[in-house]
Amino acid sequence: MRNFEYYNPTRLVFGKGTIAQLSDLVPTDSKILLLYGGGSIKANGVYEQVLAALQEFTVVEFGGIEPNPQFDTCMRAAEKVQHEGCDFLLAVGGGSVLDGCKFIAAASEYEGEDAWDILKKRAPVDAAIPLGAVLTLPATGSEMNAGSVISRESTSEKLFFGSDLVRPKFSILDPETTYSLPPVQTANGIIDAFVHVTEQYATYPAPNPLQDRQAEAILKTLVEEGPKALEEPRNYEARANIMWCATNALNGWLSLGVPTDWAAHVIGHELTALYGVDHGTSLAIVEPGVWEHQRERKKEKLLQYGERVWDITEGSERERIGKAISKTDLFFRSLGIGTKLGDHNIPDEACELVAKRLANRDTKIGEHADLGEKEVTEILRLRI
Ligand code: NZQ
Ligand code: ZN
């Protein structure tokens, strides 16, 4: 096991009716900027619950944070923070609103010339406005991690930054808020959580059996509960279990002391930036390709995954790995998400284009940090 350090101060408040606890969680006398997306919180009653809980506070609003939050929008919100003198940010929505909120928190306090440098040049974040969240879409783990991904339309870029200063002070997770999710977003969320786990698991033996079994527990739970939520959108237990899985998938636990991959994410972010495909969907396309391409180097873990998650015990090693990959692909498709580039009208040239963009940024990916332009092209070509 490798050395590690773990720090995760986010207070999680989980369960039915918990939005009412907001007034105890937001610091007294705060002037709050309430951030939300395109309006889903107004349609499903979450907005009313939030405002009812915050009656004693001064609340300013900023709506319209897009899926794959845009830099320009976030900068407008940061101006509002400064103009209004807000001292607490509350994100209400999915991962995009949370990520946008994290960037706004950092950009509002940024003293350099251009806050884009936080993403592009990984300029250090020295200060950030404190923030909290009410999560309505289980997927990203943003509710309990230090990461944020921001997009910029003018350059078709989608970039990550992380800072302990933007960890939510608290996150409220009420599974009932997810009843209104369109099936495609439920499916995207399940796949995103699934691939967060596999990125931290399907590498090479560390060995770290506790981490392995935690990862497998999340994967099996997603396989069992995911279809239930799609069949019965108001199944509380299924929604609750998916929500808890998604948080556990990317709150930092799984990567402690083990190698991590993240190739599917890096490639997937490019597909989203160039072709607008949803984040979870991009992973459903790419992850089976990464595994197929890297099947020899990931052999031990893919065999273990096949046996423990899908009960695959028969056949040669080659056959078992093949089955593990196809079961995964089939699972994603069973959730209603196409797993090939062509399913989303992404042209074949994407394979070379994505690989070149990453090469231009000198990005080498995978758990061995050695997959470059040639390998990325080959991985994507497997997904045409
Ligand atoms: O904008 P609104 O109207 O709220 O609608 C959203 C949006 O259209 C809708 N939605 C959310 N909750 C809903 C709902 N509709 C009905 N009922 C509800 N309860 O769903 C749509 C998608 O929302 P979005 O927030 O974009 O989805 P998601 O949570 O999947 O977030 C994706 C973003 O997170 C980033 C992705 O790259 C992408 O930009 N990620 C963030 C990570 C992190 N911070 O650690 C890690 C991830 O790997 C990922 O990269
Ligand atoms: Zn993800």
Coordinates of all heavy atoms in Angstrom, one line a residue, residues 192 196 265 279 283, ligand 2:
D192 N -21.4 7.7 -14.6 CA -20.4 8.6 -14.1 C -19.8 8.0 -12.8 O -18.6 7.8 -12.7 CB -20.9 10.0 -13.9 CG -19.7 11.0 -13.7 OD1 -18.6 10.7 -14.1 OD2 -20.0 12.1 -13.2
H196 N -16.1 6.5 -12.2 CA -15.3 7.0 -11.2 C -14.6 5.9 -10.4 O -13.4 5.9 -10.0 CB -16.0 7.9 -10.2 CG -16.4 9.2 -10.8 ND1 -17.4 10.0 -10.4 CD2 -15.9 9.9 -11.9 CE1 -17.6 11.1 -11.2 NE2 -16.7 11.0 -12.1
H265 N -11.8 9.6 -18.4 CA -12.2 11.0 -18.1 C -11.5 12.0 -19.0 O -12.1 13.0 -19.5 CB -12.0 11.3 -16.6 CG -13.2 11.0 -15.8 ND1 -13.6 9.7 -15.5 CD2 -14.2 11.8 -15.3 CE1 -14.7 9.7 -14.8 NE2 -15.1 10.9 -14.7
H279 N -21.4 14.3 -20.0 CA -20.2 13.7 -19.4 C -20.3 12.2 -19.2 O -19.4 11.4 -19.6 CB -20.0 14.4 -18.1 CG -18.8 13.8 -17.3 ND1 -17.6 13.8 -17.8 CD2 -18.8 13.1 -16.1 CE1 -16.8 13.1 -16.9 NE2 -17.5 12.7 -15.9
L283 N -18.2 8.8 -21.0 CA -17.4 7.8 -20.3 C -17.9 6.4 -20.8 O -17.1 5.4 -20.9 CB -17.6 7.9 -18.8 CG -17.2 9.2 -18.2 CD1 -17.6 9.3 -16.7 CD2 -15.7 9.4 -18.4
Ligands
ZN2 ZN -16.9 11.8 -14.1

